């Protein structure tokens, strides 16, 4: 790997010569600009405005544009003699736990390679010290015309450095979160946990750039004079009307995609049933009666029997009815029944006297 910067790590009074190497590479498909009418290349030419001619890269230097538009030339020698200690040195300023670093600050990643045999011993010393302390080193360095912040950590047998943004370069998340009050129920969290457990973990090495692969297929097809492959119709997502139902369906779909059992296992455990509204009794669960009829039921039954015109109750029947019903019902209905019996007996006696 080609180094992009040469310098040294300053570790107290220890100096470790190193080379800076890019730790990442881009595999993105790049395009060229063409004239759409005839396919001719569109190129950018570097032209000197004073001489009106194209210049080579070796003739191009750097300058700072002042507020009035004038150019102030800055040479490579000027940059090499900047009055800062980090011009050619990665200066370690502190050692902190790795969780102290906000991932939002992380920028480009580099490998630090030991430069020459004399650097092997101090390089290994720093690497092992970082391993044993379970900490990372915070450093300052200058690269591409500006001073930067870096984090040194151990990757395998090498030391890697992540460029860090300065804290004032990270924006605060103001106005990003929803500004409305939202209540998340425990049942919804349970289903979300079940969905996360179903999706589980994954080996990052199994992931790949499908967009780049599709682009390469299109390029290969057109180079062979064939029609590019057609993309499948994207699924139109439906409106999520019920968050609970959407979570349950997601759990089922995730399990089916992984070839696991049907929705009967953990999806059933995570299923949340709708509770009845407050003040409305549930019809699905009958009330327990304890084996005895209530007073209201006894009253209705007694009233139905009296109204249907059954045999007139005798004294013993009245006593049995009075025992099986409430006291209030017996006192009210019993009197009415007795008076009716007396009137009937008087009528029969009068009719016998007349016939005699």
């Amino acid at each position: 790997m080609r180094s992009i910067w040469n310098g040294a790590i300053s570790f107290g009074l220890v100096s470790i010569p190193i080379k800076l190497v890019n730790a990442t590479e881009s595999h993105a498909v790049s395009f060229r600009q063409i004239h759409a009418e005839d396919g001719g290349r569109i190129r950018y030419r570097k032209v000197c405005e004073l001489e009106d001619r194209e210049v080579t890269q070796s003739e191009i230097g750097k300058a700072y544009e002042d507020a009035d538009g004038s150019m102030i030339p800055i040479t490579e020698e000027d940059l090499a003699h900047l009055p800062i200690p980090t011009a050619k040195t990665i200066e370690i300023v502190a050692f902190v736990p790795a969780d102290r670093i906000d991932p939002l600050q992380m920028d480009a990643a580099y490998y630090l390679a030991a430069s020459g045999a004399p650097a092997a011993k101090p390089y290994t010393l720093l690497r092992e010290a970082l391993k044993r302390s379970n900490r990372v080193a915070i450093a300052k360095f200058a690269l591409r015309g500006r001073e930067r912040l870096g984090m040194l950590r151990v990757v395998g047998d090498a030391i890697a450095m992540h460029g860090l943004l300065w804290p004032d370069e990270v924006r605060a998340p103001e106005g990003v979160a929803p500004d409305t009050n939202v209540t998340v129920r425990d049942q919804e969290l349970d289903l979300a946990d079940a969905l996360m457990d179903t999706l589980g973990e994954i080996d990052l090495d199994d992931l790949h750039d499908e967009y780049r692969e599709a682009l390469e297929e299109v390029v290969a097809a057109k180079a062979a004079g064939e029609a590019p492959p057609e993309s499948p119709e994207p699924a139109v997502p439906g409106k999520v009307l019920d968050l609970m139902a959407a979570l349950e369906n997601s759990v089922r779909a995730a399990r089916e995609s992984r070839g696991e059992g049907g929705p009967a296992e953990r999806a059933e455990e995570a299923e949340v049933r709708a509770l009845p509204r407050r003040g409305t009794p549930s019809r699905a669960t009958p009330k327990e009666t304890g084996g005895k009829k209530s007073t209201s039921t006894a009253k209705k039954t007694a009233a139905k029997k009296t109204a249907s015109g059954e045999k007139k109750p005798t004294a013993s029947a009245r006593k049995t009815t009075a025992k099986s019903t409430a006291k209030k019902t017996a006192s009210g209905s019993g009197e009415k029944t007795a008076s009716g019996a007396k009137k009937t007996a008087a009528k029969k006696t009068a009719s016998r006297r007349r016939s005699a």
Side-chain angles (χ1 to χ4, degrees), residues 22 25 35 46 72 100 114 118 159 225 238 280 283 293 295 312 325 356:
N22 282 321
E25 58 185 1
H35 187 196
K46 299 178 180 180
I72 304 174
R100 287 272 303 276
I159 298 176
T280 305
R283 296 183 179 177
K293 294 183 178 180
T295 306
K312 296 171 184 178
T325 58

Side-chain angles (χ1 to χ4, degrees), residues 185 188 191 240-252 272:
R185 296 180 296 170
E188 294 169 338
L191 277 174
V240 180
L241 301 179
D242 187 347
L243 180 59
M244 297 293 291
L247 288 170
E248 290 176 358
N249 292 335
S250 300
V251 171
R252 294 190 186 97
V272 178

Side-chain angles (χ1 to χ4, degrees), residues 42-121:
I42 303 296
R43 299 179 182 272
Y44 292 95
R45 303 181 185 275
K46 299 178 180 180
V47 177
C48 174
E49 293 181 352
L50 297 179
E51 299 182 8
D52 193 19
R53 69 176 181 87
E54 186 177 355
V55 295
T56 62
Q57 185 63 36
S58 61
E59 298 178 87
I60 300 174
K62 297 178 182 178
Y64 175 80
E65 185 176 1
D66 205 354
D68 59 0
S70 60
M71 297 295 177
I72 304 174
I74 302 295
T75 65
E76 293 297 331
E77 186 178 358
D78 295 332
L79 297 176
H81 293 85
L82 288 175
I84 57 173
T86 58
K88 281 294 181 180
T89 303
I90 299 175
E91 181 185 8
I92 296 177
V93 296
F95 292 89
V96 300
D99 57 7
R100 287 272 303 276
I101 306 301
D102 189 346
L104 287 173
Q105 289 185 253
M106 290 189 179
D107 199 2
Y110 310 93
Y111 286 132
L112 303 180
S115 181
K121 182 65 179 286

